[in-house]
Amino acid sequence: QVHLAESGGGLVRPGGSLRLSCVTSGSRHRFNAMGWYRQAPGKERELVAEIKDGGIANYADSVKGRFTISRHNTLNTVYLQMNSLKPADTAVYFCHALLKIRENTGNYWGQGTQVTVSS
């Protein structure tokens, strides 16, 4: 059973930084892609950043230049460095992992970690 566990969320003032971590377990395979999504109250879940097995990263326009995603392939972990945080970044952040083996596709989610940006 694949399990994802996020950590690193919390309360931070505008302009501050946080680093989210996502540790996975239960997979013998390297994930095809790993990423971070977020969901604010009353809004749909949205992609924040994603990084593929080859290291190619994609970011939402709202976080480009402020957030950096990275992954440790051997450990199947993914990180999100968030700088210059804004109140609009307040949301629950979810870790996501995609695994494709032959014709089977698995999408895995963590339980989420709260990020609150407020003065």
Side-chain angles (χ1 to χ4, degrees):
Q1 187 76 11
V2 176
H3 182 68
L4 280 62
E6 304 100 332
S7 63
L11 173 64
V12 64
R13 294 181 184 274
S17 298
L18 284 175
R19 185 174 188 253
L20 305 183
S21 299
C22 175
V23 177
T24 71
S25 60
S27 176
R28 298 180 298 157
H29 305 280
R30 195 156 71 190
F31 294 109
N32 301 86
M34 301 185 75
W36 293 91
Y37 288 70
R38 68 186 180 188
Q39 188 167 18
K43 295 187 177 182
E44 294 186 353
R45 189 174 297 190
E46 62 175 0
L47 175 67
V48 176
E50 179 183 64
I51 184 166
K52 297 185 179 179
D53 188 20
I56 297 174
N58 297 304
Y59 296 90
D61 288 342
S62 59
V63 307
K64 283 181 180 177
R66 300 187 298 121
F67 292 9
T68 303
I69 189 170
S70 60
R71 65 184 286 178
H72 192 302
N73 284 331
T74 302
L75 298 178
N76 259 347
T77 59
V78 65
Y79 309 94
L80 186 67
Q81 178 66 41
M82 304 186 294
N83 299 328
S84 302
L85 282 160
K86 306 174 181 179
D89 296 316
T90 296
V92 178
Y93 284 69
F94 297 90
C95 178
H96 172 259
L98 173 69
L99 183 61
K100 294 182 179 179
I101 301 176
R102 299 186 185 89
E103 69 278 7
N104 297 314
T105 298
N107 283 283
Y108 304 98
W109 295 92
Q111 80 287 352
T113 185
Q114 176 70 46
V115 171
T116 303
V117 185
S118 175
S119 55

